Amino acid sequence: MTTTQQHLQHLYWRAGFGPLPEEVTKTGSIRKAVHALFRASDKVEPLDSPAMHFAEAKATMAASAPVPTMDSQVAGMRTTPEASLMRRGLTPEQRKLDNEQRRDAFYAMNVGWLDRMATSPAQLREKMTFFWHGHFACRVRQPEAALQLNNTIRRLALGKFGDLLLAVSQEPAMLQFLNNQQNRKQHPNENFAREVMELFTIGRGHYTEQDVKEAARAFTGWSADENHQFVFRARQHDDGPKTFMGRTGNWGGEDVLKTLLEQSQTAEFITTKLYRFFVNDVPNPAHILPLAKSFYQSQYDISLLLERLFTAEWFYDAANMGNRIKSPIELLAGIKRTFGLQLDDNKLFVTFEKALGQTLFEPPNVAGWPGGRSWIDSSSLAIRLQLPQVLFRNAEFRIALKEDENDIAPTVPRAERTFRQPVKAHVRLAPLTQLLAGTAPAEQPAKLSAFLLQTPIRPENLVLIQRQADRAPADDRLRAVITSLLALPEYQLM
């Protein structure tokens, strides 16, 4: 296969968040480009900054408040008993301040990660962290716990799946989100055990209800302390014999995970999900089954699986290029990466995410975001096509965000959820100017479309954009062409 610019762009969009202009002018094989992506992702840099940390308010607790024995739920997001009890002692003003500080920490985490996606050389590590963020979907009130889970995923995103599965399963955020704090001897809670099988490993239809019950017993005692550290509470663990997937023994939680990894169906389930994320929404068994077999034989080596996928000739088939709708995060991170986009108020990125239907650290449920065609409806498409004018022309952005029952403060009045003002944005066009160096003005729209679009532009659209460019002042010509290209439906594909 002869490597083309479109092949490289396809790789950089799927394995990262889009190409930089200077990356597509390099020559070399696909295999060389893939190896460069892995080398750039060798180093693990945790996501962190002072603004991402939230200190629980040390308010005086009501003397009459009973100590809770179960996790409680505040505004639809999981919280620990200690945090719930602490909030009971807050005045309304303190509670409002507590909510605002939590939200600010999550905003800092969100914007910081989006910037990391756009600017980090470790594109593949961040893309895989994003994939696992949806696979191991989790939503909690505690910024510290959410950030810790995110960094655990980042650290293990390209290693062995078994290591990642165990680490995530023992993360306090996940244990809280899936109610395993309530899972005790003689009073088992099946939620955690069920989701580990249905969503994280083997998939629906490959286990029985009895397997769920027995696995729940095995996970009793898996808990966390107030410092967001995993603890095993032996007195809460059911140490009796259990029969799980046809095997009887005094199993614990790690035994259950090991048994699930011994099932080749787990390798097929994970490989299929990766295929749908990186290749095509429609699974192709002829491609998936050989990958799943080698994934299983390699003891679930994620990097080896991805290398096989990205270097397969069918990955670059026309049917697999420009066929996938960008998620809201991929859309925003891609624009930030290509154009060095900066906003005077970075929190507006979160507003864009909420308007488009995907907010980092806030999956809709334990199954994560459905993806695919669900990203596009009449409302979200209108917002997507409006964004170029907002970001490149500082146009007014108007949106009334929907109420979110799972938000930290879900009862915000509509007036406070309505955004209507110009967005002050800054973009860097010099790399695009360099990309076009030596290209005649009449040919620049076509060259830009080949870089910005992953599917060929329609001839009639190219004619319209060329006319718009001809009418624009010389110093505004490039911005006019870019704005028009990004407003095409084709830019929503990758």
Side-chain angles (χ1 to χ4, degrees):
M1 181 181 71
T2 302
T3 303
T4 67
Q5 176 182 322
Q6 289 303 117
H7 290 151
L8 287 173
Q9 290 175 185
H10 177 63
L11 173 65
Y12 291 134
W13 267 115
R14 298 298 176 93
F17 296 91
L20 296 173
E22 58 268 28
E23 288 176 325
V24 299
T25 59
K26 297 177 181 178
T27 58
S29 67
I30 284 295
R31 189 171 294 275
K32 182 179 178 181
V34 169
H35 288 168
L37 283 168
F38 277 101
R39 284 196 304 272
S41 293
D42 277 344
K43 184 180 178 181
V44 180
E45 184 179 350
L47 181 67
D48 196 19
S49 79
M52 298 178 190
H53 294 275
F54 167 81
E56 298 282 355
K58 303 299 182 182
T60 302
M61 291 182 272
S64 60
V67 177
T69 57
M70 294 185 177
D71 286 2
S72 54
Q73 193 169 330
V74 179
M77 299 179 78
R78 305 298 183 191
T79 185
T80 63
E82 294 83 358
S84 178
L85 177 59
M86 193 171 290
R87 285 177 60 82
R88 293 185 189 185
L90 300 180
T91 65
E93 292 77 15
Q94 289 172 325
R95 190 183 299 270
K96 181 179 179 181
L97 179 62
D98 180 87
N99 283 339
E100 290 174 351
Q101 290 175 340
R102 289 177 191 273
R103 185 186 296 112
D104 286 345
F106 273 112
Y107 277 13
M109 290 158 54
N110 184 314
V111 173
W113 190 14
L114 191 69
D115 189 66
R116 173 80 67 86
M117 293 174 179
T119 62
S120 173
Q123 284 287 287
L124 180 56
R125 185 170 295 277
E126 293 305 320
K127 192 60 172 280
M128 282 304 295
T129 303
F130 179 57
F131 168 79
W132 296 122
H133 184 64
H135 181 77
F136 295 112
C138 179
R139 186 169 181 168
V140 292
R141 276 187 62 88
Q142 296 83 18
E144 294 279 351
L147 183 60
Q148 180 175 300
L149 171 61
N150 184 260
N151 279 321
T152 292
I153 291 175
R154 177 173 289 101
R155 176 170 57 86
L156 299 170
L158 292 169
K160 293 293 185 74
F161 177 69
D163 296 337
L164 175 64
L165 175 64
L166 175 61
V168 168
S169 298
Q170 292 185 340
E171 274 293 324
M174 189 62 74
L175 291 168
Q176 293 167 22
F177 184 57
L178 296 181
N179 309 109
N180 210 66
Q181 302 278 56
Q182 300 175 20
N183 189 18
R184 295 171 170 82
K185 179 171 56 178
Q186 297 180 344
H187 299 284
N189 183 300
E190 298 175 2
N191 195 30
F192 181 81
R194 184 181 302 279
E195 306 306 357
V196 163
M197 287 186 276
E198 179 178 333
L199 299 174
F200 298 171
T201 56
I202 202 166
R204 186 177 298 178
H206 298 281
Y207 58 86
T208 67
E209 283 302 304
Q210 189 60 32
D211 287 329
V212 174
K213 295 180 185 298
E214 299 292 83
R217 293 176 57 211
F219 285 119
T220 52
W222 280 33
S223 188
D225 61 21
E226 64 276 9
N227 296 316
H228 308 300
Q229 297 300 312
F230 172 78
V231 294
F232 175 68
R233 305 190 189 280
R235 289 167 57 179
Q236 296 177 4
H237 177 64
D238 183 341
D239 58 3
K242 309 163 190 75
T243 300
F244 178 68
M245 292 199 164
R247 301 179 183 177
T248 301
N250 184 14
W251 309 132
E254 292 188 24
D255 298 309
V256 167
L257 298 181
K258 181 180 178 182
T259 299
L260 289 168
L261 291 170
E262 289 171 354
Q263 314 304 311
S264 60
Q265 173 58 32
T266 294
E268 185 176 336
F269 179 79
I270 299 299
T271 303
T272 300
K273 197 162 184 179
L274 283 163
Y275 185 93
R276 295 187 66 185
F277 182 82
F278 283 110
V279 185
N280 200 307
D281 283 334
V282 181
N284 185 333
H287 299 159
I288 292 171
L289 293 180
L291 286 176
K293 183 178 180 180
S294 65
F295 188 39
Y296 183 74
Q297 292 173 340
S298 71
Q299 296 183 322
Y300 294 91
D301 189 316
I302 299 167
S303 288
L304 184 58
L305 172 62
L306 292 176
E307 183 179 356
R308 290 177 183 272
L309 188 150
F310 294 141
T311 56
E313 287 202 13
W314 47 255
F315 182 73
Y316 302 91
D317 285 349
N320 294 327
M321 295 175 62
N323 69 332
R324 184 169 164 272
I325 298 171
K326 296 172 186 171
S327 72
I329 296 301
E330 289 168 326
L331 177 69
L332 292 171
I335 294 174
K336 274 180 65 67
R337 181 165 176 78
T338 304
F339 302 102
L341 172 67
Q342 297 292 332
L343 303 180
D344 283 359
D345 180 2
N346 270 337
K347 290 182 179 178
L348 292 181
F349 280 117
V350 183
T351 301
F352 294 151
E353 291 175 22
K354 289 182 179 294
L356 292 168
Q358 185 181 37
T359 308
L360 292 172
F361 298 100
E362 297 182 17
N365 51 54
V366 69
W369 295 277
R373 294 185 179 276
S374 70
W375 292 130
I376 299 292
D377 57 28
S378 57
S379 174
S380 64
L381 181 59
I383 295 169
R384 283 172 177 250
L385 300 185
Q386 178 190 355
L387 268 181
Q389 286 290 332
V390 171
L391 299 177
F392 288 83
R393 297 295 187 187
N394 290 335
E396 183 179 78
F397 183 64
R398 292 180 288 176
I399 187 70
L401 298 175
K402 298 176 182 178
E403 279 191 315
D404 184 353
E405 65 180 10
N406 290 325
D407 199 1
I408 287 175
T411 56
V412 176
R414 179 180 175 85
E416 294 184 30
R417 289 185 283 107
T418 300
F419 183 90
R420 181 174 182 176
Q421 68 182 61
V423 174
K424 295 183 179 179
H426 309 275
V427 293
R428 189 178 68 248
L429 299 183
L432 277 301
T433 301
Q434 189 173 357
L435 180 70
L436 296 175
T439 304
E443 298 172 0
Q444 288 180 359
K447 186 164 185 176
L448 274 175
S449 73
F451 172 64
L452 295 174
L453 307 181
Q454 281 302 100
T455 185
I457 188 171
R458 296 178 182 178
E460 60 270 27
N461 285 339
L462 182 58
V463 170
L464 289 174
I465 290 173
Q466 287 172 328
R467 289 174 181 170
Q468 291 170 347
D470 292 340
R471 290 196 298 265
D475 61 352
D476 193 52
R477 180 184 174 92
L478 178 58
R479 188 178 292 262
V481 173
I482 291 172
T483 305
S484 297
L485 286 171
L486 266 60
L488 293 175
E490 288 88 341
Y491 186 72
Q492 307 308 315
L493 300 172
M494 60 180 253

